[in-house]
Amino acid sequence: MTSADRLVWDATAVLEALGGADSALWTWEPDRDRLRLTGASRALGLGPLAPEAASAALSALALPQDRWAVEALLTVREPGTATAARIAMRGAEPCLWRGVWLENGVRAAGVVVRETRFLALDRDLLTGLIDRRSFVGRAREMLQAPGAYELVAADLNRLRRLNEALGHERADLVLAALGSRLAAAFPPDALLGRIGEDEFAVLAMLSGQPSAEIMRQALEQPLRIAGFDIHPTLTIGAVRAEGGEDAPDAAELLRRAELAVEASRSASRGGASSAAYSATAERDGLSRLALEADLRGAIERDEICAFFQPIVRLSTGELSGFEALARWRHPRRGYLGPEEFLPLMAEMDLMAQLGERMMRLAARQLGAWRAAHPAVDHLTCSVNLSTGEIHREGLVEELADLVRENGLRRGSLKLEITESDIMRDPDRAAVTLRALRDAGAGIALDDFGTGFSSLSYLTRLPFDTLKIDRYFVRTMATNEGSAKIVRSVIQLGQDLALEVVAEGVENGVMARALLELGCDYGQGYGYAPALSPQEAEVYLNECYADGAAPVRARG
């Protein structure tokens, strides 16, 4: 093989390689105003410039916002100086140009390649962080491991203003710098992503310092870009979750963090701020007009239904009753929990309709169970009264009609009311509660210990049940303050001859601890979540067949 043959073979191989990699070689001779291209120029959007063109042609083909980058790329520099630019051509993907000046003002040479060829496809090209799709996928895997996690989402404020003032290229340098800072601030086991144009996200195990604080400290440090001092500010949203078999879906967790971002932005009017996810943020992130339209007709269309969570006598394991909890059977989104629609219902003044429907569904179901199972005569069903509903016109009459129509024994249909609702007008509440009790209702004080009511009202109001808030129950083994509250409420219930129900019972260990303290009843995921009427029917039958409700040994 002659040297000429080798040169022909080498040139062919180079051209084939360049074409297969969607890349091209370029040389620039400023004294001749000549740019030469060899390789996949057409695939890169550079076809009109091949095989050679003037600098003006390159500038004309580039998008207007990238013409300054063309000028920078072609500016003469010292020999050995590297040059690089990101340039998007009309109708083509952005390309990265990289090269080096070979001779003093005479020639530069390098390679141009599609931007996506330089980094893994699941990586954000500016920051090197993983993109949104990969973040969700890896977060889903990460959450399979047990533990306490925090997912934080952050928006860079005023990115549009930065783009207008600095240009996209310089604004991109800001984003790239923030990505580097984020990677340096968190440990290697944290999951970091750029999930939108101006959005970053972190999923990390809970530690001493909240991830939101770490993110803010890392990213809200001044930057100097192209001679300008930049002071980044963030709007941050955070949500916490438990990993393991029952971990929430990663996409839903990210959505909640982003809803918290929006809630934080609304509250701060665009300044630096942060917020944790809350149910109130949910309504702002949904398509509000569409959701309102759906919700207005949901009750009439029988989409609002009742699920039932068991309440169990701790001493015997006997099923005592259920609590009716509202669910929305949305035609497109499936079953929605109360935190997703109750705040909006309150704003739309629909709580009275919801309260009436939930009482009716609970009474009807309880009556059906009593008719089908004569042995469950003692079974109760509790219904929550929403804020202000205790003063709803016609409430007492509706309750009396439901007790009579469904053949319920006195006290079997229980109404749960919170401390805060009572304290709005204690004297008026006392009159209404006595009337409800006379009409056949049982009365429970819900979430006791979370409010600031005077204990004197417990002796004046006709309660027969105290419910301990689930937070105190879940944390009583690790928090002495919670343990004291639980013991105090149980003792108070005993002193006043009131039944005490502990919410949030997650396992048999908690159930035994509560029983030792003298608590009467338990309710929580340790027994069962809220069940559909059909599932509750099966649960009821199994309990009576086995003689006791099943409970998980440990959480």
Side-chain angles (χ1 to χ4, degrees):
M1 180 180 293
T2 66
S3 60
D5 291 333
R6 285 196 298 272
L7 288 173
V8 170
W9 185 88
D10 289 342
T12 301
V14 168
L15 290 173
E16 289 177 348
L18 291 171
D22 284 342
S23 58
L25 301 178
W26 61 270
T27 58
W28 165 237
E29 300 170 272
D31 58 336
R32 297 183 181 183
D33 191 25
R34 182 172 67 178
L35 178 72
R36 296 176 62 89
L37 293 164
T38 303
S41 54
R42 185 179 298 276
L44 300 173
L46 303 172
L49 305 178
E52 61 182 59
S55 59
L58 177 62
S59 182
L61 189 63
L63 295 180
Q65 63 265 31
D66 286 345
R67 288 172 185 167
W68 73 270
V70 172
E71 181 180 350
L73 177 74
L74 303 182
T75 298
V76 176
R77 304 184 187 278
E78 294 292 328
T81 303
T83 184
R86 176 185 181 273
I87 303 171
M89 301 296 166
R90 299 179 187 276
E93 294 181 19
C95 292
L96 295 180
W97 296 64
R98 294 183 177 178
V100 64
W101 282 92
L102 303 174
E103 301 165 17
N104 191 10
V106 175
R107 186 164 60 101
V111 63
V112 55
V113 65
R114 278 198 181 122
E115 194 176 41
T116 53
R117 292 286 183 177
F118 275 95
L119 290 172
L121 292 179
D122 65 341
R123 294 276 169 179
D124 168 58
L125 300 171
L126 279 176
T127 63
L129 306 177
I130 59 175
D131 59 22
R132 185 187 187 92
R133 181 177 180 180
S134 298
F135 183 89
V136 171
R138 297 189 192 184
R140 189 173 287 121
E141 296 175 2
M142 186 172 173
L143 288 167
Q144 293 305 304
Y149 294 84
E150 184 175 32
L151 193 154
V152 178
D155 278 6
L156 174 64
N157 297 324
R158 301 184 297 276
L159 178 61
R160 180 178 296 178
R161 191 174 301 172
L162 285 176
N163 282 326
E164 293 171 352
L166 302 178
H168 287 276
E169 189 75 16
R170 292 184 178 93
D172 283 350
L173 293 177
V174 175
L175 292 169
L178 295 181
S180 298
R181 288 180 172 182
L182 192 65
F186 284 88
D189 59 350
L191 186 65
L192 312 176
R194 184 187 176 204
I195 57 172
E197 182 183 12
D198 58 353
E199 294 179 83
F200 297 94
V202 174
L203 177 64
M205 296 288 289
L206 275 176
S207 59
Q209 186 178 16
S211 296
E213 291 183 11
I214 298 174
M215 180 181 283
R216 189 179 298 286
Q217 291 174 5
L219 303 190
E220 288 192 342
Q221 300 297 321
L223 288 167
R224 188 165 181 81
I225 301 292
F228 294 92
D229 290 325
I230 309 298
H231 297 270
T233 62
L234 304 173
T235 301
I236 296 177
V239 59
R240 295 184 176 184
E242 290 293 326
E245 294 182 359
D246 298 326
D249 181 70
E252 172 65 15
L253 206 60
L254 180 58
R255 186 179 72 90
R256 293 182 177 183
E258 291 177 315
L259 288 176
V261 169
E262 293 304 316
S264 178
R265 177 179 289 113
S266 299
S268 66
R269 299 186 179 181
S273 61
S274 61
Y277 169 78
S278 67
T280 55
E282 188 79 13
R283 65 179 184 273
D284 298 323
L286 299 171
S287 178
R288 187 179 180 90
L289 292 178
L291 194 65
E292 283 187 6
D294 291 343
L295 195 52
R296 287 194 183 280
I299 293 178
E300 288 76 8
R301 293 191 299 269
D302 289 334
E303 292 173 2
I304 302 297
C305 56
F307 273 40
F308 300 89
Q309 186 170 40
I311 300 173
V312 176
R313 183 181 291 275
L314 294 175
S315 59
T316 63
E318 178 186 9
L319 178 64
S320 173
F322 293 92
E323 179 179 354
L325 300 168
R327 297 292 186 270
W328 182 8
R329 190 173 50 244
H330 194 279
R332 294 180 301 279
R333 298 180 59 195
Y335 282 104
L336 302 182
E339 71 280 358
E340 298 186 78
F341 63 89
L342 286 188
L344 187 56
M345 266 194 156
E347 288 189 12
M348 296 167 64
D349 199 25
L350 296 175
M351 296 305 291
Q353 297 180 39
L354 176 66
E356 181 182 358
R357 176 167 178 79
M358 289 302 296
M359 279 205 314
R360 189 169 300 279
L361 290 174
R364 186 185 303 162
Q365 185 62 71
L366 185 57
W369 281 330
R370 283 169 50 83
H373 306 277
V376 303
D377 183 66
H378 68 282
L379 202 68
T380 64
C381 191
S382 302
V383 181
N384 290 288
L385 289 184
S386 60
T387 300
E389 195 180 354
I390 188 175
H391 303 308
R392 174 163 59 88
E393 185 177 353
L395 174 63
V396 176
E397 291 76 10
E398 290 170 11
L399 185 284
D401 290 343
L402 290 173
V403 170
R404 184 181 63 257
E405 292 169 2
N406 293 280
L408 305 182
R409 67 175 179 83
R410 294 182 62 82
S412 61
L413 183 61
K414 291 193 173 187
L415 304 181
E416 298 186 1
I417 186 168
T418 62
E419 290 180 80
S420 58
D421 213 11
I422 293 171
M423 295 308 295
R424 291 169 182 268
D425 190 343
D427 295 329
R428 185 182 177 190
V431 173
T432 304
L433 291 178
R434 290 192 189 96
L436 287 168
R437 190 167 187 178
D438 292 341
I443 309 294
L445 182 57
D446 197 14
D447 297 340
F448 186 69
T450 61
F452 302 94
S453 64
S454 169
L455 294 180
S456 65
Y457 284 106
L458 285 179
T459 62
R460 294 173 49 192
L461 297 173
F463 293 111
D464 48 52
T465 303
L466 293 181
K467 298 196 74 172
I468 309 174
D469 184 71
R470 60 177 54 83
Y471 169 79
F472 301 122
V473 175
R474 288 176 176 174
T475 59
M476 65 179 185
T478 57
N479 185 310
E480 181 58 29
S482 295
K484 289 179 179 178
I485 289 175
V486 171
R487 287 195 296 267
S488 298
V489 174
I490 293 172
Q491 184 62 54
L492 182 63
Q494 293 172 344
D495 292 343
L496 297 177
L498 302 176
E499 295 178 340
V500 179
V501 179
E503 298 182 300
V505 178
E506 301 295 334
N507 51 56
V509 174
M510 295 172 67
R512 286 190 295 274
L514 289 163
L515 179 60
E516 290 174 0
L517 294 174
C519 187
D520 301 299
Y521 300 97
Q523 172 184 352
Y525 280 82
Y527 293 105
L531 306 170
S532 69
Q534 295 78 17
E535 293 170 329
E537 175 81 21
V538 173
Y539 188 91
L540 187 155
N541 287 328
E542 290 177 347
C543 288
Y544 280 95
D546 298 340
V551 60
R552 293 192 303 185
R554 293 186 178 275

